[in-house]
C-alpha cells in the first residue's frame, strides 16, 4: 500500500515537468520566440515541426531504454534522480536571448529547443512509467494519476499566477510614453524567469525520484528487438489511446499557444482589475490560471466521477462533451476587455472537462501497459508510456506550430533585423484578431468533437 508521502512525491514529478517546464513552453514559447526572442513566424513553426520529428525517434527509444535499466535505484527512478539538474539548466538557457544576429539566434533556439526535448524525454518517459511499477491495484493507479494531475495543475496555477508579478518585480526600461516594457527588458525578464523556474523544476524532479518506490519488478525483454514496436501497432487499445492523447494535447495546445496573442491584439494588453484592496493583473498567464485551478479541483474529483459513470471510457466521453460545448460558447463572447469575467467563466467551465479527463489518460496508459504485458509476455511499460509523452509533445508543439502558421497567413510577421533587434509587423490587424479568436474557440471545439468520437471506440471497459 502506497503512503501519502509517496503520492505527494509522485505529484512533485509532474508539478516540475507539467506544471512548470511544459506549462511555460506551451503558453509562453510561441509568443516568446516570435515577439521577444526574434525568430520569424516560419522559423518558429519549423522549429516545432522539426522537434516533433525528433521526438518520434527519441521518445520510443527512451521508453525501450528505460524498460531495460537496472540499478540500485530501480528501473525508472534513476532517470529522474540524475536528470533533474540537466532539465533545469537547459530550460534556463532556452529562455535566454543571446545578442546574436538572425542566423546565430536561429542556431541557439534550434539547438537548445531540441536539447530540451531530449532532456524532457529522458526524465518524463521514466516518470510516467513509474505508475506501472508502483502498484497493481487499479483504484490506487487512479489515485496516483489524480495526485499527478493535481500536482501538475496546482503548480501550473502557481506558475501562471506568479508569472506577471515576477516580470513586474524584475522590471526594466519601458517604452517612452507607454506602460509596455522594451523588447530588451522583456528578454532580461524571461531569462531570469528561466533561472527561477528551472531551479524549482530541478528540485521537484529530484524529490520525485527520491520519494517514490518501485514495488513491481518488470518482466524484462533483455534483448532489444524491433518486434516490440510492431506489437504497439497491433495493440488496438494503444492505437485509440494514442490518438486520444494527441487530440487532448491539440485541444490544450491551441488555447495555450494563442492566449498571449489574444491579450495583446484582441484585448489591448493586460487587464487591470482594481478594488479597494489591490489591483489584479490579468494577463495571458493569469487568465489561464483560472482554468488551472479548475483542473486541479476536478482532477481530484475524477476518480469519483469515473466510478459514478461506470468506466474511464464513459468519463472521457462526458469530459469531451463539456470541452466541446464551452469551447463553442467562447466564440460568442464579445471581443472586448469589458467582458473579461465572462471569458474567465467560460474558460473555467471548459476546464471542468479538461480536469476530469487528464488523470484518466495516464491511468488508461497503465491499463494498456498491463494489457500488453498479458498479451505479449514481457513488459513494455516504458515504451507505452513514452508514447503518451510523445503524444503530449506532438500535440502541443504541432498546435503551436499551426498557430504560428495561421497567424502568419492572417498577416502577422516577426523577425530579427541586421542589428539583432526583434521586429514585429502586422499587415491586417482585423484578420489577425479574428484568427486568434477562432484558434482559441472553434479550433479546440473541433478537436473535442474528434476526441468524443475516438473515445466511443476505445475497447478497454475499465
Amino acid at each position: 500500500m502506497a503512503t501519502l508521502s509517496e503520492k505527494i512525491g509522485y505529484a512533485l514529478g509532474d508539478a516540475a515537468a507539467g506544471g512548470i517546464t511544459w506549462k511555460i513552453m506551451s503558453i509562453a514559447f510561441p509568443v516568446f520566440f516570435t515577439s521577444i526572442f526574434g525568430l520569424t513566424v516560419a522559423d518558429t513553426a519549423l522549429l516545432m515541426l522539426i522537434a516533433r520529428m525528433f521526438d518520434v525517434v527519441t521518445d520510443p527509444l527512451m521508453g525501450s531504454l528505460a524498460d531495460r535499466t537496472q540499478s540500485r535505484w530501480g528501473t525508472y527512478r534513476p532517470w529522474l534522480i540524475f536528470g533533474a539538474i540537466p532539465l533545469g539548466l537547459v530550460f534556463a538557457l532556452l529562455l535566454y536571448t543571446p545578442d546574436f544576429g538572425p542566423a546565430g539566434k536561429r542556431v541557439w533556439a534550434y539547438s537548445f529547443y531540441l536539447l530540451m526535448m531530449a532532456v524532457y524525454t529522458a526524465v518524463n518517459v521514466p516518470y510516467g512509467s513509474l505508475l506501472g511499477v508502483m502498484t497493481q491495484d487499479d483504484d490506487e493507479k487512479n489515485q496516483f494519476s489524480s495526485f499527478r494531475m493535481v500536482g501538475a495543475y496546482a503548480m501550473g496555477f502557481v506558475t501562471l499566477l506568479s508569472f506577471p508579478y515576477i516580470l513586474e518585480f524584475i522590471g526594466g526600461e519601458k517604452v517612452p510614453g507607454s506602460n509596455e516594457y522594451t523588447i530588451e527588458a522583456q528578454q532580461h525578464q524571461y531569462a531570469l524567469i528561466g533561472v527561477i523556474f528551472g531551479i524549482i523544476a530541478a528540485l521537484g524532479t529530484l524529490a520525485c525520484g527520491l520519494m517514490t518506490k518501485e514495488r513491481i519488478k518488470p518482466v524484462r525483454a533483455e534483448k532489444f528487438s524491433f518486434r516490440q514496436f510492431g506489437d504497439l501497432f497491433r495493440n488496438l487499445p494503444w492505437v485509440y489511446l494514442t490518438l486520444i492523447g494527441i487530440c487532448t494535447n491539440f485541444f490544450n495546445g491551441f488555447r495555450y499557444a494563442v492566449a498571449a496573442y489574444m491579450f495583446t491584439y484582441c484585448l489591448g494588453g493586460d487587464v487591470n482589475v482594481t478594488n479597494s484592496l489591490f489591483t489584479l493583473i490579468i494577463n495571458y498567464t493569469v487568465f489561464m490560471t483560472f482554468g488551472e485551478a479548475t483542473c486541479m479541483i476536478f482532477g481530484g474529483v475524477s476518480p469519483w466521477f469515473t466510478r459514478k459513470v461506470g468506466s474511464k471510457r464513459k468519463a472521457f466521453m462526458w469530459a469531451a462533451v463539456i470541452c466541446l460545448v464551452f469551447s463553442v460558447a467562447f466564440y460568442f463572447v464579445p471581443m472586448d476587455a469589458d467582458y473579461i469575467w465572462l471569458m474567465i467563466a467560460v474558460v473555467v467551465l471548459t476546464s471542468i472537462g479538461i480536469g476530469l479527463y487528464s488523470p484518466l489518460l495516464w491511468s488508461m496508459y497503465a491499463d494498456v501497459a498491463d494489457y500488453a504485458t498479458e498479451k505479449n509476455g514481457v513488459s513494455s511499460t516504458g515504451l507505452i508510456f513514452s508514447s503518451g509523452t510523445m503524444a503530449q509533445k506532438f500535440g502541443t508543439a504541432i498546435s503551436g506550430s499551426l498557430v504560428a502558421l495561421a497567424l502568419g497567413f492572417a498577416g502577422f510577421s516577426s523577425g530579427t533585423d541586421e542589428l539583432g533587434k526583434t521586429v514585429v509587423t502586422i499587415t491586417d490587424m482585423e484578420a489577425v484578431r479574428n484568427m486568434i479568436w477562432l484558434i482559441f474557440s472553434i479550433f479546440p471545439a473541433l478537436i473535442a468533437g474528434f476526441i468524443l468520437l475516438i473515445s466511443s471506440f476505445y475497447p478497454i471497459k475499465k
Side-chain angles (χ1 to χ4, degrees):
M1 178 70 69
T3 64
L4 177 61
S5 63
E6 187 178 2
K7 292 173 183 176
I8 293 173
Y10 188 66
L12 289 175
D14 213 21
I20 296 177
T21 56
W22 198 256
K23 194 66 64 179
I24 293 175
M25 290 171 70
S26 300
I27 195 168
F29 273 26
V31 72
F32 169 73
F33 279 130
T34 57
S35 302
I36 297 172
F37 188 89
L39 291 185
T40 65
V41 168
D43 276 335
T44 301
L46 183 60
L47 167 61
M48 294 181 176
L49 286 171
I50 290 175
R52 296 296 65 77
M53 299 305 296
F54 181 67
D55 289 335
V56 166
V57 177
T58 59
D59 280 35
L61 287 178
M62 183 64 232
S64 183
L65 178 61
D67 283 337
R68 288 160 177 77
T69 300
Q70 299 184 59
S71 75
R72 57 182 292 193
W73 297 279
T75 299
Y76 303 114
R77 290 172 59 239
W79 293 96
L80 281 78
I81 294 169
F82 296 103
I85 292 176
L87 178 73
L89 179 61
V90 176
F91 179 73
L93 289 171
L94 189 52
L95 279 168
Y96 174 74
T97 304
D99 189 19
F100 297 157
K105 282 188 175 181
R106 190 179 299 118
V107 170
W108 180 280
Y110 276 61
S111 299
F112 280 103
Y113 194 85
L114 291 174
L115 185 57
M116 181 66 199
M117 291 298 95
V119 175
Y120 186 90
T121 295
V123 168
N124 207 245
V125 168
Y127 168 73
S129 304
L130 263 177
L131 184 60
V133 295
M134 289 192 295
T135 180
Q136 287 182 317
D137 183 79
D138 192 56
D139 187 59
E140 200 164 47
K141 286 179 184 177
N142 285 347
Q143 292 177 35
F144 269 112
S145 291
S146 183
F147 267 81
R148 172 183 183 166
M149 289 298 102
V150 170
Y153 285 123
M155 183 55 73
F157 176 86
V158 172
T159 299
L160 299 184
L161 183 63
S162 64
F163 206 90
Y165 297 96
I166 296 175
L167 295 180
E168 195 72 22
F169 177 78
I170 296 170
E173 183 182 356
K174 293 190 175 182
V175 177
S178 169
N179 199 39
E180 298 293 323
Y181 288 103
T182 64
I183 295 296
E184 291 75 17
Q186 293 180 62
Q187 290 172 348
H188 177 66
Q189 290 170 343
Y190 275 78
L192 288 183
I193 282 279
V195 172
I196 293 167
F197 283 112
I199 291 172
I200 299 172
L203 292 175
T205 302
L206 180 61
C208 176
L210 296 175
M211 293 172 67
T212 50
K213 296 179 182 179
E214 297 186 23
R215 294 178 175 81
I216 303 167
K217 188 175 179 61
V219 182
R220 303 180 190 277
E222 298 295 349
K223 295 182 179 179
F224 178 84
S225 170
F226 283 103
R227 177 182 175 181
Q228 60 189 320
F229 296 99
D231 288 341
L232 277 183
F233 290 93
R234 288 187 288 271
N235 184 334
L236 191 60
W238 175 83
V239 173
Y240 280 113
L241 192 58
T242 298
L243 289 173
I244 292 169
I246 291 172
C247 287
T248 59
N249 286 288
F250 265 120
F251 181 87
N252 290 330
F254 280 127
R255 298 165 71 249
Y256 277 97
V258 82
Y261 296 101
M262 184 170 70
F263 266 76
T264 301
Y265 301 109
C266 298
L267 304 181
D270 297 353
V271 180
N272 294 330
V273 179
T274 304
N275 61 27
S276 58
L277 297 177
F278 64 91
T279 298
L280 175 64
I281 303 173
I282 304 181
N283 76 336
Y284 69 100
T285 63
V286 175
F287 180 72
M288 300 305 288
T289 295
F290 290 93
E292 293 294 306
T294 307
C295 289
M296 178 177 63
I297 294 168
F298 282 88
V301 171
S302 183
W304 170 85
F305 181 73
T306 301
R307 290 193 294 269
K308 284 295 182 181
V309 299
S311 72
K312 298 173 187 177
R313 180 177 67 90
K314 289 180 180 178
F316 222 103
M317 292 173 67
W318 276 109
V321 169
I322 294 170
C323 292
L324 170 60
V325 170
F326 290 108
S327 293
V328 172
F330 191 92
Y331 178 76
F332 296 99
V333 177
M335 193 188 299
D336 191 312
D338 290 341
Y339 292 88
I340 188 65
W341 289 114
L342 179 57
M343 296 176 200
I344 289 172
V346 178
V347 165
V348 165
L349 291 169
T350 306
S351 298
I352 291 174
I354 301 171
L356 290 174
Y357 73 56
S358 294
L360 291 174
L361 189 66
W362 295 105
S363 180
M364 290 158 76
Y365 271 114
D367 295 338
V368 171
D370 291 343
Y371 173 87
T373 301
E374 182 179 343
K375 181 178 179 181
N376 301 322
V378 295
S379 173
S380 55
T381 301
L383 181 60
I384 286 171
F385 272 91
S386 75
S387 65
T389 305
M390 184 177 68
Q392 178 188 42
K393 292 191 287 186
F394 186 89
T396 303
I398 293 295
S399 58
S401 177
L402 291 174
V403 166
L405 290 174
L407 292 179
F409 176 78
F412 180 95
S413 64
S414 62
T416 300
D417 64 19
E418 63 276 5
L419 298 177
K421 304 295 182 181
T422 300
V423 179
V424 175
T425 305
I426 296 178
T427 57
D428 190 337
M429 180 61 78
E430 193 61 27
V432 168
R433 283 159 53 89
N434 289 333
M435 180 63 74
I436 289 169
W437 213 251
L438 284 169
I439 293 171
F440 195 86
S441 57
I442 301 302
F443 284 25
L446 294 173
I447 296 298
F450 196 52
I451 292 171
L452 178 60
L453 177 64
I454 301 171
S455 299
S456 67
F457 292 102
Y458 181 70
I460 295 180
K461 308 300 183 183
K462 285 186 179 181

